[in-house]
Amino acid sequence: MKAGTLFLFWGAMDLFYIARFCYLSFSNGRIPFYSDIQSLSLLSAEHGLVSVLFLLLGLVLSISMFFSAYLFFRGSSLAPCLAYAQIPLRLILAVPSLSFVFWLSKVVGITSAVLMFLLLLFSEILKFFSIF
């Protein structure tokens, strides 16, 4: 597969994640990113510093997806660099690069944590080697 087509695919996956993130926020009566930042102090008081760290890492990953989608769509040579930097965060936060994987698994009724982890791992390995 040509690099241009792969870049468009991975850009579309990031864009799908962003659109789904915004949709889920709005459907729950929240404003994407703003509501998350607003909940930092409450989260810290109720659940401690580790939960705040996870929230901040999630925000960093989500915001970086705007940039990676843009870079992939532009065909920039910087897109793989940002994508590689995202992989550890994606694994820690369980956010697959194949953004539809968890949504699709919910639709078809897959509930196995081991299978979900393997799908996450497959997603990241596929992305890593496809843009290498």
Side-chain angles (χ1 to χ4, degrees), residues 4-82:
T5 306
L6 280 172
F7 275 28
L8 289 176
F9 174 77
W10 291 119
M13 287 295 98
D14 285 348
L15 197 59
F16 177 78
Y17 173 84
I18 294 164
R20 187 168 182 269
F21 175 82
C22 291
Y23 168 77
L24 291 173
S25 289
F26 286 129
S27 66
N28 288 315
R30 297 187 326 244
I31 300 169
F33 302 106
Y34 175 76
S35 296
D36 295 332
I37 292 168
Q38 208 174 25
S39 69
L40 275 174
S41 61
L42 180 62
L43 190 62
S44 174
E46 288 184 12
H47 301 286
L49 192 57
V50 174
S51 59
V52 171
L53 177 64
F54 274 91
L55 177 65
L56 291 174
L57 289 175
L59 285 171
V60 166
L61 179 60
S62 296
I63 291 168
S64 75
M65 283 191 209
F66 280 104
F67 295 105
S68 63
Y70 173 77
L71 292 172
F72 276 124
F73 285 136
R74 295 269 326 226
S76 172
S77 61
L78 295 175
C81 298
L82 183 54

Side-chain angles (χ1 to χ4, degrees), residues 102-132:
F102 287 167
W103 171 77
L104 185 61
S105 65
K106 182 179 178 183
V107 169
V108 298
I110 296 173
T111 57
S112 167
V114 172
L115 185 54
M116 298 299 277
F117 175 73
L118 291 174
L119 288 170
L120 171 66
L121 205 54
F122 171 75
S123 172
E124 298 317 300
I125 290 169
L126 180 67
K127 186 172 190 177
F128 179 87
F129 285 111
S130 70
I131 61 175
F132 185 65

